[in-house]
PDB file of all heavy atoms in Angstrom:
ATOM      1  N   PRO A 527       0.556   2.969 -14.775  1.00  0.00           N
ATOM      2  CA  PRO A 527      -0.142   4.154 -15.251  1.00  0.00           C
ATOM      3  C   PRO A 527      -0.138   4.220 -16.761  1.00  0.00           C
ATOM      4  O   PRO A 527       0.799   3.747 -17.400  1.00  0.00           O
ATOM      5  CB  PRO A 527       0.633   5.302 -14.611  1.00  0.00           C
ATOM      6  CG  PRO A 527       1.226   4.695 -13.388  1.00  0.00           C
ATOM      7  CD  PRO A 527       1.565   3.255 -13.777  1.00  0.00           C
ATOM      8  N   TYR A 548      20.522   2.165 -11.068  1.00  0.00           N
ATOM      9  CA  TYR A 548      20.648   1.234 -12.142  1.00  0.00           C
ATOM     10  C   TYR A 548      20.897   1.983 -13.480  1.00  0.00           C
ATOM     11  O   TYR A 548      20.428   3.090 -13.692  1.00  0.00           O
ATOM     12  CB  TYR A 548      19.398   0.353 -12.291  1.00  0.00           C
ATOM     13  CG  TYR A 548      19.207  -0.492 -11.072  1.00  0.00           C
ATOM     14  CD1 TYR A 548      18.471  -0.060  -9.972  1.00  0.00           C
ATOM     15  CD2 TYR A 548      19.812  -1.780 -10.998  1.00  0.00           C
ATOM     16  CE1 TYR A 548      18.308  -0.846  -8.854  1.00  0.00           C
ATOM     17  CE2 TYR A 548      19.655  -2.554  -9.844  1.00  0.00           C
ATOM     18  CZ  TYR A 548      18.910  -2.071  -8.794  1.00  0.00           C
ATOM     19  OH  TYR A 548      18.740  -2.853  -7.643  1.00  0.00           O
ATOM     20  N   MET A 562      -3.785   5.240 -23.824  1.00  0.00           N
ATOM     21  CA  MET A 562      -2.507   5.584 -24.370  1.00  0.00           C
ATOM     22  C   MET A 562      -1.551   5.919 -23.220  1.00  0.00           C
ATOM     23  O   MET A 562      -1.906   6.620 -22.299  1.00  0.00           O
ATOM     24  CB  MET A 562      -2.598   6.759 -25.357  1.00  0.00           C
ATOM     25  CG  MET A 562      -3.493   6.496 -26.520  1.00  0.00           C
ATOM     26  SD  MET A 562      -2.787   5.240 -27.596  1.00  0.00           S
ATOM     27  CE  MET A 562      -1.342   6.089 -28.226  1.00  0.00           C
ATOM     28  N   ARG A 563      -0.351   5.376 -23.277  1.00  0.00           N
ATOM     29  CA  ARG A 563       0.645   5.626 -22.251  1.00  0.00           C
ATOM     30  C   ARG A 563       1.376   6.917 -22.551  1.00  0.00           C
ATOM     31  O   ARG A 563       1.824   7.156 -23.664  1.00  0.00           O
ATOM     32  CB  ARG A 563       1.589   4.467 -22.091  1.00  0.00           C
ATOM     33  CG  ARG A 563       0.861   3.187 -21.714  1.00  0.00           C
ATOM     34  CD  ARG A 563       1.840   2.150 -21.196  1.00  0.00           C
ATOM     35  NE  ARG A 563       1.159   0.853 -20.992  1.00  0.00           N
ATOM     36  CZ  ARG A 563       0.489   0.564 -19.897  1.00  0.00           C
ATOM     37  NH1 ARG A 563       0.379   1.457 -18.933  1.00  0.00           N
ATOM     38  NH2 ARG A 563      -0.117  -0.593 -19.756  1.00  0.00           N
ATOM     39  N   LEU A 664       9.624 -20.382  -2.519  1.00  0.00           N
ATOM     40  CA  LEU A 664      10.745 -21.205  -3.008  1.00  0.00           C
ATOM     41  C   LEU A 664      11.524 -20.508  -4.131  1.00  0.00           C
ATOM     42  O   LEU A 664      12.755 -20.708  -4.229  1.00  0.00           O
ATOM     43  CB  LEU A 664      10.208 -22.554  -3.511  1.00  0.00           C
ATOM     44  CG  LEU A 664       9.633 -23.497  -2.470  1.00  0.00           C
ATOM     45  CD1 LEU A 664       9.017 -24.698  -3.130  1.00  0.00           C
ATOM     46  CD2 LEU A 664      10.667 -23.906  -1.447  1.00  0.00           C
ATOM     47  N   LEU A 680       4.503 -15.005   7.700  1.00  0.00           N
ATOM     48  CA  LEU A 680       5.440 -15.752   6.802  1.00  0.00           C
ATOM     49  C   LEU A 680       6.628 -16.274   7.569  1.00  0.00           C
ATOM     50  O   LEU A 680       7.164 -17.351   7.217  1.00  0.00           O
ATOM     51  CB  LEU A 680       5.884 -14.815   5.673  1.00  0.00           C
ATOM     52  CG  LEU A 680       4.793 -14.414   4.662  1.00  0.00           C
ATOM     53  CD1 LEU A 680       5.455 -13.641   3.565  1.00  0.00           C
ATOM     54  CD2 LEU A 680       4.099 -15.655   4.094  1.00  0.00           C
ATOM     55  N   ARG A 682       6.720 -17.279  10.662  1.00  0.00           N
ATOM     56  CA  ARG A 682       6.355 -18.248  11.665  1.00  0.00           C
ATOM     57  C   ARG A 682       5.686 -19.448  11.039  1.00  0.00           C
ATOM     58  O   ARG A 682       6.197 -20.572  10.977  1.00  0.00           O
ATOM     59  CB  ARG A 682       5.469 -17.616  12.746  1.00  0.00           C
ATOM     60  CG  ARG A 682       6.174 -16.536  13.572  1.00  0.00           C
ATOM     61  CD  ARG A 682       5.237 -15.881  14.549  1.00  0.00           C
ATOM     62  NE  ARG A 682       5.894 -14.786  15.289  1.00  0.00           N
ATOM     63  CZ  ARG A 682       5.286 -13.979  16.146  1.00  0.00           C
ATOM     64  NH1 ARG A 682       3.985 -14.136  16.382  1.00  0.00           N
ATOM     65  NH2 ARG A 682       5.981 -12.977  16.712  1.00  0.00           N
ATOM     66  N   GLY A 721      -9.946   7.622   1.890  1.00  0.00           N
ATOM     67  CA  GLY A 721      -9.867   6.167   1.758  1.00  0.00           C
ATOM     68  C   GLY A 721     -10.787   5.654   0.657  1.00  0.00           C
ATOM     69  O   GLY A 721     -11.179   6.372  -0.266  1.00  0.00           O
ATOM     70  N   LEU A 773     -26.853  19.020   7.674  1.00  0.00           N
ATOM     71  CA  LEU A 773     -25.420  19.265   7.730  1.00  0.00           C
ATOM     72  C   LEU A 773     -24.782  19.376   6.335  1.00  0.00           C
ATOM     73  O   LEU A 773     -23.588  19.263   6.164  1.00  0.00           O
ATOM     74  CB  LEU A 773     -24.680  18.133   8.493  1.00  0.00           C
ATOM     75  CG  LEU A 773     -24.965  18.030   9.989  1.00  0.00           C
ATOM     76  CD1 LEU A 773     -24.215  16.801  10.545  1.00  0.00           C
ATOM     77  CD2 LEU A 773     -24.478  19.285  10.721  1.00  0.00           C
ATOM     78  N   PHE A 799      -8.522  11.253  10.031  1.00  0.00           N
ATOM     79  CA  PHE A 799      -9.065   9.989  10.592  1.00  0.00           C
ATOM     80  C   PHE A 799      -8.826   8.831   9.650  1.00  0.00           C
ATOM     81  O   PHE A 799      -9.084   8.920   8.431  1.00  0.00           O
ATOM     82  CB  PHE A 799     -10.557  10.147  10.792  1.00  0.00           C
ATOM     83  CG  PHE A 799     -10.939  10.716  12.139  1.00  0.00           C
ATOM     84  CD1 PHE A 799     -10.879  12.064  12.339  1.00  0.00           C
ATOM     85  CD2 PHE A 799     -11.287   9.885  13.182  1.00  0.00           C
ATOM     86  CE1 PHE A 799     -11.209  12.617  13.583  1.00  0.00           C
ATOM     87  CE2 PHE A 799     -11.612  10.419  14.415  1.00  0.00           C
ATOM     88  CZ  PHE A 799     -11.583  11.780  14.638  1.00  0.00           C
ATOM     89  N   ARG A 809       0.899  -1.378   4.878  1.00  0.00           N
ATOM     90  CA  ARG A 809       0.340  -1.851   3.610  1.00  0.00           C
ATOM     91  C   ARG A 809      -0.622  -0.816   3.022  1.00  0.00           C
ATOM     92  O   ARG A 809      -0.977  -0.963   1.852  1.00  0.00           O
ATOM     93  CB  ARG A 809      -0.365  -3.210   3.827  1.00  0.00           C
ATOM     94  CG  ARG A 809      -1.768  -3.145   4.404  1.00  0.00           C
ATOM     95  CD  ARG A 809      -2.322  -4.553   4.445  1.00  0.00           C
ATOM     96  NE  ARG A 809      -3.679  -4.613   5.002  1.00  0.00           N
ATOM     97  CZ  ARG A 809      -4.791  -4.612   4.265  1.00  0.00           C
ATOM     98  NH1 ARG A 809      -4.711  -4.490   2.951  1.00  0.00           N
ATOM     99  NH2 ARG A 809      -5.986  -4.717   4.843  1.00  0.00           N
ATOM    100  N   ALA A 825      -6.968   6.767  14.646  1.00  0.00           N
ATOM    101  CA  ALA A 825      -7.188   5.520  13.909  1.00  0.00           C
ATOM    102  C   ALA A 825      -7.812   4.479  14.815  1.00  0.00           C
ATOM    103  O   ALA A 825      -7.706   4.543  16.046  1.00  0.00           O
ATOM    104  CB  ALA A 825      -5.836   5.023  13.354  1.00  0.00           C
ATOM    105  N   ALA A 850     -17.266   7.162  21.110  1.00  0.00           N
ATOM    106  CA  ALA A 850     -15.834   7.233  21.398  1.00  0.00           C
ATOM    107  C   ALA A 850     -15.145   8.175  20.424  1.00  0.00           C
ATOM    108  O   ALA A 850     -14.276   8.977  20.807  1.00  0.00           O
ATOM    109  CB  ALA A 850     -15.194   5.841  21.246  1.00  0.00           C
TER     110      ALA A 850
END
Side-chain angles (χ1 to χ4, degrees):
Y548 297 90
M562 298 294 293
R563 299 196 186 277
L664 293 174
L680 293 185
R682 294 176 184 177
L773 292 176
F799 272 82
R809 82 177 179 94

